[in-house]
Amino acid sequence: MLFRSDVPDPQYPAAGVKYTFGSWSDGGAQQHYVTVPLAGLGVGLNFITSYQLTPTITPSNGGSLAFTPSSKDSYYPSGNLAVKAIPNANFHFTGYSNGLTGVNVDTNMNLRSPYSFTAAFAANAAVTLTSNVSNSEGCKLTLQGVTGSIPLKAQFAPKTSVSFSAPVSCISATNPGIQYIFQQWSDG
């Protein structure tokens, strides 16, 4: 006698839990036929259990998260899951909270149930170089190797070492008889 073995896939037995076909104990495909002997037949089914992961990113434009292994539907296999916080341009990662902790962008978690957490990002600090000489005079400043017109602005993550400079002197573009001489920065 032939018997068709089949199992619905996936199955959702509870909120945030997903079962997907893993294997039959006889090694057959998810859907296959077996010949039942007179003595009967016992075939076991192995499901892969996955749990829904619900991260919150704050602010929503601050960055993204990458998971290993990856998922197409926010359900991840039970076990070790690597999490990586990826800041967007002009943002930096500040830490995990509400279920996951730490300030390192790379972390691991042992997923054993549906899980939620928060990944927080913050805007980088702005550095603005200004001068008492107007931009029309043609003097330029340099910030982190980039030379530009006054005011010169850029954003940097906390604890970033930033270099800036001004020329020792600058001849006026509107009146060549005027020369501006650098004296000091306002931060001392």
Side-chain angles (χ1 to χ4, degrees):
M1 168 178 186
L2 286 177
F3 173 74
R4 181 177 167 200
S5 57
D6 191 10
V7 62
D9 183 40
Q11 296 181 29
Y12 298 90
V17 179
K18 178 174 85 171
Y19 292 157
T20 52
F21 173 79
S23 62
W24 290 106
S25 61
D26 67 355
Q30 181 177 349
Q31 184 178 36
H32 67 285
Y33 290 92
V34 294
T35 302
V36 179
L38 291 177
L41 177 68
V43 180
L45 171 62
N46 176 41
F47 280 108
I48 298 170
T49 304
S50 298
Y51 298 105
Q52 188 173 31
L53 191 60
T54 311
T56 299
I57 295 174
T58 181
S60 60
N61 65 337
S64 60
L65 296 169
F67 302 99
T68 305
S70 62
S71 168
K72 294 178 184 170
D73 64 358
S74 78
Y75 283 84
Y76 295 85
S78 175
N80 191 49
L81 181 66
V83 182
K84 181 178 184 78
I86 304 164
N88 285 339
N90 296 320
F91 283 86
H92 61 279
F93 178 68
T94 60
Y96 297 105
S97 63
N98 299 327
L100 192 59
T101 59
V103 294
N104 293 328
V105 294
D106 292 308
T107 192
N108 290 296
M109 60 185 295
N110 189 5
L111 192 59
R112 295 282 178 224
S113 64
Y115 204 80
S116 62
F117 66 92
T118 300
F121 297 86
N124 289 341
V127 173
T128 304
L129 299 182
T130 61
S131 172
N132 62 337
V133 176
S134 77
N135 188 41
S136 63
E137 294 296 326
C139 295
K140 306 284 185 191
L141 299 176
T142 301
L143 175 59
Q144 206 71 351
V146 176
T147 300
S149 298
I150 301 167
L152 192 57
K153 299 178 183 181
Q155 287 184 296
F156 299 94
K159 300 181 183 178
T160 300
S161 178
V162 178
S163 67
F164 50 91
S165 63
V168 172
S169 67
C170 173
I171 303 296
S172 169
T174 59
N175 185 345
I178 297 175
Q179 179 180 17
Y180 297 100
I181 307 228
F182 175 78
Q183 290 186 353
Q184 71 182 31
W185 293 103
S186 62
D187 70 343

